[in-house]
């Protein structure tokens, strides 16, 4: 993954841009991917697809021609979707258009004005503080022209048409942790699922991986696939998976949904350092469009984010020129990739557990007895799980109710299933004779 | 309002009495009002309408003819619905029939024995303590005769036959804050709604204002309008609105009802000093009949009441001869009148918000963007409200869920409506495509 | 009850054994009882009925023939369902098969290996510690042979076929508090119900008392009466009712069931020293089979158990040779018997309360007025109960909602019923006119 990051990170991947298209085309060489294209100006629900934006050149000069800031030095020096501008401005006006990072005095910030447009440059706080002249010359050669918003889609067909959406965005120019790490982790997860499928291990759910420009990309995809929405049963957004922070799993708008119960309880068993948090309390991304009214797909979000209250949250180099390959390691990317796969495995396993038995199981007779005199906790746990196997509880329901990990429930359920004491169902089959 | 109070307060407005009728007739000169009449002895559900009661004269004398207490001095000197009595009694017997106020040594208490009858006089604790003779002469000339229980009803027809009941009682003789202030505030609210209607602004709900004797009046009205009960969707009882205490909004028996959610969250935005409390924890009045079994109209109660724990709760002069016009001010009555109107406006506005949009709204495109870098709370609030506009939440539901005021939700909803992003519905229209 | 205990306690009542049958036959002399018989080897759900087990003789000797342990001295000296064994074993091997009590150094423990079989002896810790020789001779003459598992069933027909299951086990050899006290208390309760029936006071529910070997007995009964399960609406397991601890009422797997609400709130009014606790937190017995998947009869459990956290919980002599008649008193047994009868009476009374009245009741007119000036709590309570009499709440629902005892609700309800203000229904009859 780190190689792909090194190859693509410095591209000027603005939301509709040649470099975005280049990056997407390169990713499409890795796995079978459809590139969906939608023209600028197209209305999508309440939105309009913006023009393609190109910055040909941009710099800030002293009146005697000394270049202080140059787009050629770093793509973040120009506000993404800046209007063109050329002229001499006095210092006060310049400072209103010269953006800096709120925390990092030496970094160039990432600033975008896709819809509420203006001209703008970005520089370090240190450079800004050194501007003492009365007037400066600004040159921003940008062009807006009809283009095509592009979305990469990888589909892994499942036994069911019910779809799980795995989403990441690619539109953060010359940065790495946010957002390229989510893209490469998603890609490797897709590759693994494709390999499993090619070995005949077709998943139950159909998985749709989307690589798109943030927000507008999701709106475009959803509005152009309205007939698919009712089949989307769950989703996961991926981002910031290379930095040195614990995994944060942010719940969806529907905290009682099966996917929320499943992934939340699964994380508990998979990553002792990970933590969970409610919707909108970790980081906001494309999951907003999927959770929104008229769509209502419960989509969680996985990222590596500093704990709540940290002054550098989400992470120190966020939205700045310091978000380089130095922030991430291959090892952390691989850990995150494995975590996503394990979460998917939990989700595939999350079914209603229907008892073939009645009463308590004759555990000794089936060789699954845990002696309460030797292991009282294990004994109690076994029975607490078994007594909820009634066709009305999923694995995730039981884990949530008992506040234990998905895996510890699944371990018992898998054992019961191997003894043919239960069967698993995608829909409820309540067995209470009083119903 | 204070003028009407000055004119009517000293009348002996016992529950079925000539003075009650006089007061009601005077009120009916102010706004179009029907006077409903029901005869003594009529059975109403489990109740029977009592006789008309008149006290012609009453006094306590020393055996040598010195008047110590005289009904002519104050109407509260006789227990309302006292039996007639004439005779010489020894001191002990007298004291059993001579009621005083539990807290105010100089005040005559308000005591009534409508159904559990006896003869009785009322006096100040100071006077009672001064009674040292062995025997006294008691004269109580009261009469019970067939009469008519009267109820004033003001109807403001709405677009819908669904009715909101605004109720206050008029039967507390020679007192002001309890209960005349509720009557005059209700009357002014009715006058405003009538004026609006005459200007073509017909409300959605039909408003029925009732002025009646406490408890028995509500039972009579409800039992004689059983066919209306299923159309009564909400109610508000008004009382004690002139004294110097914060507004207290007491919830109904159904705390999750729309009217409870609406008025409770609206008070939060309308009166920073007001407070809310559950059913039966502030003061008990006619809302009890409306909330009761077989009726079950969620009726809240608005009053000005000292905070829980205050030794003089509900207010110092409660149920005593000190409850005079001195307790109330015109300004406080007007503040309460405006509050009731604002609560009604909130209720009229409380509808299901149905999204015309899908996904998140293109806020910049609609000019409703709040920059999270400038106003993070406003940004968050905007999105928290928008994402609940799904045809399954009312304004009050969202306010309750987010623990914010009705008004702050309504402000966003009104904006969205002005942009044609939502429409409002009196019934749920869920738009989740997975339903 | 203590006489029956003295007569039966020392019998070797292993789960399928001649002494179990003897004890059951003796109990059947007391009240009309069916003895149900099921053969060894029969499959019952996931279980198999074990063979009849007999211990003919068993002892531990020094190699020079000195008897250290002898089954003839106490039936607990041999593990119940021990395999036969004969031979000389070295000390280490012996100790692996010689069980002691975890807390009581002078007591012989009760150990059973019904299904996970092995040979085994039991002795006091003191005796075990005194074993210093290198080798010992073990003799265990036990036999396994086809037998019949027996269950005593007392049926008290009710007006309805809906059944309440009262269950206790009889299979703890030579012990008293656990389990013979539950049996004799249950028997006396059954006797009282039978007497009432013979006097024409037929209960509403059909009561089925079961006396059986633990766990396997319940599985056998349920699996052989599957057609009855859907008629079983509630259950109560009885055990440990003679020792000196407060009554503990353990809830069922369904804490919101009517039987849970009823018995939990009834205990509060019946036994100020008793306490309640959730399912599986006091003691585990046959209620597990009834609460289990595919059966789901809400069965509570009543016992006398030391409070949570006590190091000798459930009680000091539990599962040991010290559990003798000295642990129990006739008085405590009678108190428990009365408590069970009172709980049953509450359950019989637990119905939906349907209001014949609308609005609040004219309490003075019906002579049920409680003056709020004299008894404010009583007044409030009366109205809090009355206002929930709406055909949608049972007595137990109201008690649970108000956190008061079943009896204090019932007292008001019985009064209302005597005044024909309410009627009682076994099914909901909601009277809210807005439904």
């Amino acid at each position: 993954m780190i190689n792909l990051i090194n190859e693509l990170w410095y591209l000027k991947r603005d939301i509709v841009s040649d470099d975005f298209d280049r990056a997407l085309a390169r990713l499409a060489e890795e796995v079978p991917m459809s590139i969906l294209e939608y023209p600028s100006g197209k209305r999508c629900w309440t939105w309009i697809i913006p023009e393609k934006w190109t910055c040909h050149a941009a710099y800030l000069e002293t009146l005697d021609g000394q270049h202080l800031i140059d787009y050629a030095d770093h793509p973040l020096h120009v506000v993404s979707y800046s209007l063109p501008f050329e002229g001499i401005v006095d210092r006060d006006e310049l400072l209103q258009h010269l953006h800096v990072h709120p925390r990092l005095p030496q970094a160039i910030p990432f600033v975008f004005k896709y819809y509420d447009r203006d001209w703008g440059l970005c520089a370090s706080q240190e450079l800004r503080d050194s501007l003492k002249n009365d007037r400066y010359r600004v040159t921003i050669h940008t062009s807006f022209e009809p283009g095509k918003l592009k979305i990469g889609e990888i589909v892994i067909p499942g036994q069911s048409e019910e779809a799980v959406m795995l989403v990441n965005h690619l539109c953060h120019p010359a940065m790495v942790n946010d957002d390229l790490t989510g893209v490469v982790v998603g890609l490797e997860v897709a590759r693994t699922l494709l390999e499993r499928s090619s070995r005949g291990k077709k998943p139950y759910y159909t998985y749709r991986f989307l690589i798109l420009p943030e927000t507008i990309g999701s709106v475009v995809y959803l509005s152009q696939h309205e007939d698919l929405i009712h089949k989307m049963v769950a989703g996961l957004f991926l981002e910031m998976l290379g930095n040195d922070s614990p995994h944060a799993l942010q719940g969806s708008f529907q905290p009682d949904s099966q996917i929320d119960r499943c992934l939340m309880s699964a994380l508990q068993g998979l990553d002792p350092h990970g933590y969970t948090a409610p919707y909108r309390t970790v980081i906001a991304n494309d999951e907003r469009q999927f959770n929104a009214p008229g769509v209502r797909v419960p989509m969680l979000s996985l990222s590596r984010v500093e704990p709540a209250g940290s002054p550098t949250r989400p992470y120190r180099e966020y939205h700045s020129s310091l978000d380089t390959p130095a922030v991430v390691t291959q090892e952390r990317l691989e850990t995150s990739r494995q975590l996503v796969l394990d979460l998917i495995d939990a989700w595939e396993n999350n079914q209603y557990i229907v008892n073939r038995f009645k009463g308590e199981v004759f555990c000794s007779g089936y060789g699954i007895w845990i002696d309460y005199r030797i292991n009282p906790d294990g004994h109690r746990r076994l029975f607490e799980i078994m007594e909820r196997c009634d066709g009305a509880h999923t694995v995730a329901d039981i884990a949530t109710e008992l506040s234990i990990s998905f895996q510890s429930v699944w371990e018992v359920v898998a054992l019961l299933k191997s003894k043919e004491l239960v069967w698993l169902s995608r829909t409820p089959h309540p067995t209470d004779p009083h119903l």
Side-chain angles (χ1 to χ4, degrees), chain A residues 82-110:
Chain A
S82 170
L83 294 174
F85 186 82
E86 201 154 1
I88 291 170
V89 295
D90 61 26
R91 193 172 165 278
D92 275 0
E93 187 182 354
L94 173 64
L95 293 191
Q96 285 176 28
H97 292 266
L98 183 58
H99 305 273
V100 298
H101 197 279
R103 278 190 291 98
L104 304 169
Q106 297 176 314
I108 312 163
F110 170 41

mmCIF file of all heavy atoms in Angstrom, chain A residues 82-110:
data_model
loop_
_atom_site.group_PDB
_atom_site.id
_atom_site.type_symbol
_atom_site.label_atom_id
_atom_site.label_comp_id
_atom_site.label_asym_id
_atom_site.label_seq_id
_atom_site.Cartn_x
_atom_site.Cartn_y
_atom_site.Cartn_z
ATOM 1 N N SER A 82 -9.961 28.088 -6.302
ATOM 2 C CA SER A 82 -9.783 29.543 -6.247
ATOM 3 C C SER A 82 -10.184 30.168 -7.578
ATOM 4 O O SER A 82 -9.922 29.612 -8.651
ATOM 5 C CB SER A 82 -8.315 29.873 -5.956
ATOM 6 O OG SER A 82 -8.089 31.265 -6.135
ATOM 7 N N LEU A 83 -10.800 31.332 -7.497
ATOM 8 C CA LEU A 83 -11.033 32.111 -8.709
ATOM 9 C C LEU A 83 -9.688 32.627 -9.218
ATOM 10 O O LEU A 83 -8.740 32.765 -8.444
ATOM 11 C CB LEU A 83 -11.955 33.298 -8.391
ATOM 12 C CG LEU A 83 -13.381 32.930 -7.970
ATOM 13 C CD1 LEU A 83 -14.143 34.195 -7.532
ATOM 14 C CD2 LEU A 83 -14.127 32.244 -9.115
ATOM 15 N N PRO A 84 -9.600 32.932 -10.514
ATOM 16 C CA PRO A 84 -8.363 33.544 -11.013
ATOM 17 C C PRO A 84 -8.270 34.982 -10.513
ATOM 18 O O PRO A 84 -9.276 35.610 -10.200
ATOM 19 C CB PRO A 84 -8.517 33.494 -12.531
ATOM 20 C CG PRO A 84 -9.977 33.370 -12.775
ATOM 21 C CD PRO A 84 -10.587 32.724 -11.570
ATOM 22 N N PHE A 85 -7.053 35.457 -10.433
ATOM 23 C CA PHE A 85 -6.851 36.837 -9.961
ATOM 24 C C PHE A 85 -5.492 37.307 -10.432
ATOM 25 O O PHE A 85 -4.532 36.560 -10.488
ATOM 26 C CB PHE A 85 -6.922 36.890 -8.438
ATOM 27 C CG PHE A 85 -6.874 38.295 -7.877
ATOM 28 C CD1 PHE A 85 -8.024 39.077 -7.833
ATOM 29 C CD2 PHE A 85 -5.668 38.848 -7.442
ATOM 30 C CE1 PHE A 85 -7.974 40.369 -7.332
ATOM 31 C CE2 PHE A 85 -5.612 40.139 -6.955
ATOM 32 C CZ PHE A 85 -6.764 40.903 -6.889
ATOM 33 N N GLU A 86 -5.430 38.553 -10.725
ATOM 34 C CA GLU A 86 -4.147 39.125 -11.136
ATOM 35 C C GLU A 86 -4.192 40.585 -10.753
ATOM 36 O O GLU A 86 -5.135 41.280 -11.102
ATOM 37 C CB GLU A 86 -3.952 38.989 -12.658
ATOM 38 C CG GLU A 86 -2.528 39.068 -13.075
ATOM 39 C CD GLU A 86 -2.284 38.315 -14.403
ATOM 40 O OE1 GLU A 86 -3.286 37.775 -14.957
ATOM 41 O OE2 GLU A 86 -1.160 38.281 -14.864
ATOM 42 N N GLY A 87 -3.197 41.040 -10.004
ATOM 43 C CA GLY A 87 -3.206 42.453 -9.645
ATOM 44 C C GLY A 87 -2.351 42.764 -8.443
ATOM 45 O O GLY A 87 -1.810 41.858 -7.799
ATOM 46 N N ILE A 88 -2.226 44.053 -8.196
ATOM 47 C CA ILE A 88 -1.474 44.510 -7.029
ATOM 48 C C ILE A 88 -2.495 44.813 -5.928
ATOM 49 O O ILE A 88 -3.489 45.510 -6.167
ATOM 50 C CB ILE A 88 -0.643 45.757 -7.375
ATOM 51 C CG1 ILE A 88 0.482 45.338 -8.346
ATOM 52 C CG2 ILE A 88 -0.050 46.385 -6.123
ATOM 53 C CD1 ILE A 88 1.225 46.488 -8.964
ATOM 54 N N VAL A 89 -2.261 44.245 -4.760
ATOM 55 C CA VAL A 89 -3.199 44.458 -3.662
ATOM 56 C C VAL A 89 -2.439 45.003 -2.465
ATOM 57 O O VAL A 89 -1.243 44.724 -2.297
ATOM 58 C CB VAL A 89 -3.897 43.141 -3.246
ATOM 59 C CG1 VAL A 89 -4.778 42.624 -4.364
ATOM 60 C CG2 VAL A 89 -2.868 42.090 -2.830
ATOM 61 N N ASP A 90 -3.122 45.789 -1.642
ATOM 62 C CA ASP A 90 -2.421 46.250 -0.451
ATOM 63 C C ASP A 90 -2.411 45.127 0.589
ATOM 64 O O ASP A 90 -3.124 44.128 0.467
ATOM 65 C CB ASP A 90 -3.012 47.560 0.099
ATOM 66 C CG ASP A 90 -4.452 47.426 0.514
ATOM 67 O OD1 ASP A 90 -4.889 46.301 0.865
ATOM 68 O OD2 ASP A 90 -5.166 48.451 0.478
ATOM 69 N N ARG A 91 -1.593 45.298 1.594
ATOM 70 C CA ARG A 91 -1.309 44.225 2.547
ATOM 71 C C ARG A 91 -2.602 43.722 3.218
ATOM 72 O O ARG A 91 -2.819 42.499 3.356
ATOM 73 C CB ARG A 91 -0.349 44.759 3.608
ATOM 74 C CG ARG A 91 0.263 43.687 4.469
ATOM 75 C CD ARG A 91 1.346 44.256 5.374
ATOM 76 N NE ARG A 91 1.657 43.301 6.411
ATOM 77 C CZ ARG A 91 0.956 43.150 7.534
ATOM 78 N NH1 ARG A 91 -0.046 43.955 7.781
ATOM 79 N NH2 ARG A 91 1.292 42.226 8.408
ATOM 80 N N ASP A 92 -3.454 44.623 3.647
ATOM 81 C CA ASP A 92 -4.685 44.217 4.337
ATOM 82 C C ASP A 92 -5.542 43.312 3.462
ATOM 83 O O ASP A 92 -6.058 42.281 3.914
ATOM 84 C CB ASP A 92 -5.497 45.457 4.730
ATOM 85 C CG ASP A 92 -5.012 46.017 6.054
ATOM 86 O OD1 ASP A 92 -4.068 45.436 6.640
ATOM 87 O OD2 ASP A 92 -5.552 47.053 6.495
ATOM 88 N N GLU A 93 -5.718 43.710 2.204
ATOM 89 C CA GLU A 93 -6.542 42.882 1.321
ATOM 90 C C GLU A 93 -5.888 41.521 1.119
ATOM 91 O O GLU A 93 -6.568 40.483 1.147
ATOM 92 C CB GLU A 93 -6.738 43.586 -0.033
ATOM 93 C CG GLU A 93 -7.739 42.814 -0.893
ATOM 94 C CD GLU A 93 -7.945 43.429 -2.282
ATOM 95 O OE1 GLU A 93 -7.400 44.525 -2.527
ATOM 96 O OE2 GLU A 93 -8.630 42.790 -3.091
ATOM 97 N N LEU A 94 -4.574 41.525 0.917
ATOM 98 C CA LEU A 94 -3.882 40.256 0.719
ATOM 99 C C LEU A 94 -4.147 39.316 1.900
ATOM 100 O O LEU A 94 -4.480 38.137 1.718
ATOM 101 C CB LEU A 94 -2.376 40.496 0.588
ATOM 102 C CG LEU A 94 -1.539 39.193 0.547
ATOM 103 C CD1 LEU A 94 -1.886 38.368 -0.694
ATOM 104 C CD2 LEU A 94 -0.050 39.496 0.598
ATOM 105 N N LEU A 95 -3.992 39.860 3.114
ATOM 106 C CA LEU A 95 -4.109 38.983 4.294
ATOM 107 C C LEU A 95 -5.498 38.349 4.402
ATOM 108 O O LEU A 95 -5.649 37.243 4.912
ATOM 109 C CB LEU A 95 -3.779 39.763 5.575
ATOM 110 C CG LEU A 95 -2.324 40.224 5.698
ATOM 111 C CD1 LEU A 95 -2.028 40.753 7.100
ATOM 112 C CD2 LEU A 95 -1.345 39.104 5.344
ATOM 113 N N GLN A 96 -6.512 39.055 3.891
ATOM 114 C CA GLN A 96 -7.853 38.454 3.891
ATOM 115 C C GLN A 96 -7.966 37.263 2.948
ATOM 116 O O GLN A 96 -8.886 36.457 3.053
ATOM 117 C CB GLN A 96 -8.895 39.510 3.501
ATOM 118 C CG GLN A 96 -9.179 40.508 4.628
ATOM 119 C CD GLN A 96 -10.127 41.590 4.173
ATOM 120 O OE1 GLN A 96 -10.939 41.365 3.278
ATOM 121 N NE2 GLN A 96 -10.006 42.771 4.774
ATOM 122 N N HIS A 97 -7.042 37.175 2.017
ATOM 123 C CA HIS A 97 -7.083 36.077 1.041
ATOM 124 C C HIS A 97 -5.943 35.076 1.248
ATOM 125 O O HIS A 97 -5.757 34.185 0.423
ATOM 126 C CB HIS A 97 -7.014 36.663 -0.374
ATOM 127 C CG HIS A 97 -8.245 37.437 -0.755
ATOM 128 N ND1 HIS A 97 -9.299 36.883 -1.432
ATOM 129 C CD2 HIS A 97 -8.601 38.733 -0.530
ATOM 130 C CE1 HIS A 97 -10.244 37.798 -1.622
ATOM 131 N NE2 HIS A 97 -9.846 38.934 -1.077
ATOM 132 N N LEU A 98 -5.171 35.285 2.298
ATOM 133 C CA LEU A 98 -4.002 34.428 2.510
ATOM 134 C C LEU A 98 -4.245 33.572 3.757
ATOM 135 O O LEU A 98 -4.193 34.055 4.888
ATOM 136 C CB LEU A 98 -2.752 35.298 2.704
ATOM 137 C CG LEU A 98 -1.437 34.528 2.869
ATOM 138 C CD1 LEU A 98 -1.168 33.630 1.656
ATOM 139 C CD2 LEU A 98 -0.283 35.521 3.058
ATOM 140 N N HIS A 99 -4.521 32.297 3.531
ATOM 141 C CA HIS A 99 -4.946 31.415 4.621
ATOM 142 C C HIS A 99 -3.762 30.699 5.258
ATOM 143 O O HIS A 99 -2.809 30.329 4.565
ATOM 144 C CB HIS A 99 -5.938 30.388 4.073
ATOM 145 C CG HIS A 99 -7.105 31.030 3.390
ATOM 146 N ND1 HIS A 99 -8.233 31.429 4.040
ATOM 147 C CD2 HIS A 99 -7.290 31.393 2.077
ATOM 148 C CE1 HIS A 99 -9.085 31.984 3.174
ATOM 149 N NE2 HIS A 99 -8.528 31.974 1.979
ATOM 150 N N VAL A 100 -3.876 30.519 6.568
ATOM 151 C CA VAL A 100 -2.826 29.806 7.296
ATOM 152 C C VAL A 100 -3.460 28.704 8.136
ATOM 153 O O VAL A 100 -4.677 28.659 8.318
ATOM 154 C CB VAL A 100 -2.028 30.759 8.212
ATOM 155 C CG1 VAL A 100 -1.311 31.828 7.395
ATOM 156 C CG2 VAL A 100 -2.940 31.397 9.259
ATOM 157 N N HIS A 101 -2.610 27.835 8.656
ATOM 158 C CA HIS A 101 -3.097 26.716 9.474
ATOM 159 C C HIS A 101 -3.326 27.202 10.907
ATOM 160 O O HIS A 101 -2.507 27.936 11.440
ATOM 161 C CB HIS A 101 -2.075 25.577 9.454
ATOM 162 C CG HIS A 101 -2.646 24.274 9.913
ATOM 163 N ND1 HIS A 101 -2.800 23.947 11.230
ATOM 164 C CD2 HIS A 101 -3.139 23.214 9.200
ATOM 165 C CE1 HIS A 101 -3.339 22.749 11.332
ATOM 166 N NE2 HIS A 101 -3.553 22.265 10.107
ATOM 167 N N PRO A 102 -4.402 26.797 11.549
ATOM 168 C CA PRO A 102 -4.697 27.321 12.894
ATOM 169 C C PRO A 102 -3.704 26.845 13.961
ATOM 170 O O PRO A 102 -3.579 27.479 14.998
ATOM 171 C CB PRO A 102 -6.106 26.781 13.189
ATOM 172 C CG PRO A 102 -6.293 25.623 12.264
ATOM 173 C CD PRO A 102 -5.473 25.915 11.051
ATOM 174 N N ARG A 103 -3.049 25.728 13.751
ATOM 175 C CA ARG A 103 -2.199 25.162 14.813
ATOM 176 C C ARG A 103 -0.719 25.064 14.443
ATOM 177 O O ARG A 103 0.144 25.101 15.311
ATOM 178 C CB ARG A 103 -2.678 23.753 15.156
ATOM 179 C CG ARG A 103 -3.848 23.666 16.106
ATOM 180 C CD ARG A 103 -4.062 22.234 16.557
ATOM 181 N NE ARG A 103 -4.545 21.365 15.488
ATOM 182 C CZ ARG A 103 -3.781 20.557 14.758
ATOM 183 N NH1 ARG A 103 -2.472 20.465 14.984
ATOM 184 N NH2 ARG A 103 -4.300 19.814 13.796
ATOM 185 N N LEU A 104 -0.438 24.878 13.122
ATOM 186 C CA LEU A 104 0.926 24.543 12.705
ATOM 187 C C LEU A 104 1.575 25.734 12.010
ATOM 188 O O LEU A 104 1.300 26.001 10.838
ATOM 189 C CB LEU A 104 0.882 23.352 11.739
ATOM 190 C CG LEU A 104 0.188 22.080 12.258
ATOM 191 C CD1 LEU A 104 -0.023 21.089 11.118
ATOM 192 C CD2 LEU A 104 1.023 21.447 13.358
ATOM 193 N N PRO A 105 2.454 26.464 12.680
ATOM 194 C CA PRO A 105 2.994 27.710 12.105
ATOM 195 C C PRO A 105 3.857 27.496 10.871
ATOM 196 O O PRO A 105 4.030 28.426 10.078
ATOM 197 C CB PRO A 105 3.804 28.313 13.257
ATOM 198 C CG PRO A 105 4.017 27.224 14.244
ATOM 199 C CD PRO A 105 2.921 26.249 14.071
ATOM 200 N N GLN A 106 4.359 26.274 10.716
ATOM 201 C CA GLN A 106 5.258 26.062 9.570
ATOM 202 C C GLN A 106 4.577 25.359 8.396
ATOM 203 O O GLN A 106 5.209 25.167 7.356
ATOM 204 C CB GLN A 106 6.468 25.233 10.025
ATOM 205 C CG GLN A 106 7.288 25.978 11.089
ATOM 206 C CD GLN A 106 8.426 25.146 11.629
ATOM 207 O OE1 GLN A 106 8.242 23.972 11.947
ATOM 208 N NE2 GLN A 106 9.607 25.753 11.722
ATOM 209 N N ALA A 107 3.332 24.997 8.554
ATOM 210 C CA ALA A 107 2.675 24.202 7.506
ATOM 211 C C ALA A 107 1.773 25.062 6.628
ATOM 212 O O ALA A 107 1.203 26.067 7.070
ATOM 213 C CB ALA A 107 1.831 23.101 8.156
ATOM 214 N N ILE A 108 1.627 24.648 5.366
ATOM 215 C CA ILE A 108 0.639 25.258 4.478
ATOM 216 C C ILE A 108 -0.689 24.545 4.742
ATOM 217 O O ILE A 108 -0.733 23.310 4.776
ATOM 218 C CB ILE A 108 1.022 25.055 3.001
ATOM 219 C CG1 ILE A 108 2.489 25.418 2.785
ATOM 220 C CG2 ILE A 108 0.095 25.839 2.075
ATOM 221 C CD1 ILE A 108 3.044 24.851 1.478
ATOM 222 N N PRO A 109 -1.777 25.280 4.948
ATOM 223 C CA PRO A 109 -3.052 24.605 5.216
ATOM 224 C C PRO A 109 -3.720 24.141 3.930
ATOM 225 O O PRO A 109 -3.423 24.645 2.839
ATOM 226 C CB PRO A 109 -3.884 25.702 5.876
ATOM 227 C CG PRO A 109 -3.413 26.944 5.193
ATOM 228 C CD PRO A 109 -1.909 26.753 4.978
ATOM 229 N N PHE A 110 -4.660 23.200 4.089
ATOM 230 C CA PHE A 110 -5.518 22.784 2.972
ATOM 231 C C PHE A 110 -6.827 23.548 3.099
ATOM 232 O O PHE A 110 -7.561 23.375 4.071
ATOM 233 C CB PHE A 110 -5.762 21.276 3.057
ATOM 234 C CG PHE A 110 -6.816 20.768 2.094
ATOM 235 C CD1 PHE A 110 -6.905 21.234 0.774
ATOM 236 C CD2 PHE A 110 -7.733 19.792 2.496
ATOM 237 C CE1 PHE A 110 -7.874 20.746 -0.094
ATOM 238 C CE2 PHE A 110 -8.704 19.299 1.632
ATOM 239 C CZ PHE A 110 -8.766 19.779 0.328
#
